[in-house]
Amino acid sequence: GWNKALEELTGVRSDDVIDTDGHSKILYGEKRPTVADLLVNGAADLAAEIRKWYGDRYRRSALLEEAYEATGPFSFPGKEQRWLHFTSAAIRDPKGQLIGAIETMTDISPLKRAEDELRENVERLKRVMSGVIRAIDVIVETRDPYTAGHQHQVARLATAIATEMGLPADTVEAIYVAASIHDLGKIYVPAEILSKPGRISDIERGIIRTHPQVGYDILKSIDFPWPIAEIVLQHHERMDGSGYPRGLKDGDIRIEARIIGLADVVESIGSHRPYRPTLGSGKALDEIRKNRGTLYDPAVVDVCLALFQDRGYRLEEAAGGR
């Protein structure tokens, strides 16, 4: 058959096709058996015959028995390119005897355009979100210049740990985003406390400890595709319940927060501070090794140690922060 839809799509009248063997040339630019022809002919190796004529364009249908499907762009003289979906299926009588085959073609160009537009919009939103995250990072660093690069360093290490642990790509991305802005709440901490040389008082320490909750309160209204606010809230929780602000234990702490929390400790100890020289990554690794299973997730500790000791991971220069 060559119906009105095919006439409009190809610009070829049905009278010029019916009772001829030229329809495949109109579609493919050459005469070749259609997949429906191959189904009817009963080739010994049908899959091989389909590959011979159509490469890997056709695949077995997941919905129909003895059927193949293909999707791709097609151009016809004087017409704009269209995206078509083909379905070729064998037809059997009630006794199971093969009596023919049918090939249908659907113009999915509008669907393809919508799909492309959706993909472009998603990419655009990702770029916007990256810009917003970077802006937040800059705000935090401007508020506390001594933490320049700290969030970046933590994000870099946390992402490396998550990747090495084999976590899903979506989880790794959530860790990168949350780690990049995990200290956002520090914008509410007076700058003189953040940059104060020497020891800080218990009152000052209490003020600094508000930053996970403040970060959560700022971020909770943003509709991220991941639970960023909750991860930020938990990044100072510890496995034995000694962390803050909620004193969560073990499995109550999200894996993202366990990873970021450990990366935060390693970076904080291993990097330079304006009020003290760097203690070095060796001291940082001693800390997580000593508190493996009590403060820090054992699996996260083991992967972090392996990164530094076996994979040559190094902290970058010029980072800091309490």
Side-chain angles (χ1 to χ4, degrees):
W2 196 266
N3 60 20
K4 277 287 185 184
L6 275 169
E7 286 187 345
E8 293 176 6
L9 183 67
T10 64
V12 178
R13 296 170 57 249
S14 60
D15 291 344
D16 297 329
V17 180
I18 301 299
D19 296 326
T20 76
D21 60 355
H23 61 285
S24 63
K25 187 171 184 179
I26 295 169
L27 294 173
Y28 304 112
E30 63 177 350
K31 286 188 177 181
R32 63 169 73 171
T34 64
V35 175
D37 293 331
L38 296 174
L39 285 165
V40 170
N41 293 341
D45 190 342
L46 180 60
E49 278 293 305
I50 292 175
R51 279 197 301 273
K52 171 184 172 183
W53 292 104
Y54 297 98
D56 293 325
R57 291 180 67 176
Y58 273 86
R59 65 183 186 280
R60 288 294 298 268
S61 173
L63 301 175
L64 302 172
E65 293 288 335
E66 291 187 273
Y68 287 80
E69 297 178 354
T71 301
F74 277 78
S75 296
F76 303 104
K79 300 283 186 178
E80 66 174 325
Q81 186 185 70
R82 312 294 291 180
W83 275 79
L84 307 178
H85 178 80
F86 290 82
T87 301
S88 303
I91 303 173
R92 294 187 179 272
D93 64 19
K95 295 180 180 180
Q97 295 295 315
L98 182 68
I99 58 175
I102 185 170
E103 185 158 298
T104 60
M105 184 171 59
T106 305
D107 183 1
I108 61 167
S109 300
L111 181 63
K112 179 66 176 174
R113 281 195 296 272
E115 184 182 274
D116 290 343
E117 288 172 5
L118 178 61
R119 186 181 301 109
E120 290 172 7
N121 287 336
V122 169
E123 290 302 318
R124 189 179 301 113
L125 285 173
K126 283 185 175 180
R127 290 193 295 271
V128 169
M129 187 173 66
S130 295
V132 170
I133 290 166
R134 179 57 192 149
I136 292 172
D137 190 14
V138 170
I139 289 170
V140 175
E141 292 178 357
T142 302
R143 175 71 173 167
D144 178 14
Y146 298 120
T147 64
H150 169 69
Q151 292 185 124
H152 165 71
Q153 283 266 47
V154 173
R156 177 173 166 261
L157 176 55
T159 301
I161 292 171
T163 302
E164 191 70 17
M165 290 179 72
L167 297 181
D170 195 54
T171 304
V172 175
E173 195 167 3
I175 286 170
Y176 175 78
V177 172
S180 297
I181 56 178
H182 73 276
D183 277 340
L184 170 60
K186 286 185 177 178
I187 63 173
Y188 276 74
V189 179
E192 57 268 24
I193 295 177
L194 292 174
S195 58
K196 180 181 177 180
R199 296 182 62 83
I200 57 176
S201 70
D202 289 343
I203 294 176
E204 291 167 334
R205 183 173 292 104
I207 294 173
I208 290 174
R209 284 191 169 198
T210 64
H211 79 271
Q213 183 67 53
V214 172
Y216 172 84
D217 292 340
I218 295 171
L219 297 169
K220 67 182 179 182
S221 62
I222 301 176
D223 189 19
F224 287 107
W226 320 276
I228 299 300
E230 185 66 28
I231 297 169
V232 167
L233 179 64
Q234 294 184 15
H235 79 273
H236 275 287
E237 301 288 356
R238 297 295 179 254
M239 300 292 283
D240 62 359
S242 64
Y244 61 90
R246 293 187 289 180
L248 301 180
K249 290 185 177 182
D250 299 324
D252 292 333
I253 307 171
R254 299 186 63 94
I255 184 61
E256 302 96 332
R258 293 185 228 171
I259 291 171
I260 294 172
L262 181 129
D264 191 24
V265 168
V266 171
E267 198 286 325
S268 295
I269 295 175
S271 295
H272 173 73
R273 294 293 182 276
Y275 42 83
R276 62 150 171 82
T278 177
L279 300 178
S281 59
K283 188 75 171 178
L285 299 184
D286 286 344
E287 158 65 19
I288 64 172
R289 190 182 292 112
K290 180 180 68 175
N291 290 295
R292 177 187 183 275
T294 52
L295 301 183
Y296 314 114
D297 184 316
V300 179
V301 169
D302 292 345
V303 169
C304 184
L305 291 174
L307 278 174
F308 278 87
Q309 295 169 354
D310 303 330
R311 302 296 180 89
Y313 189 93
R314 293 289 179 269
L315 293 171
E316 296 172 351
E317 295 297 322
R322 274 194 161 93

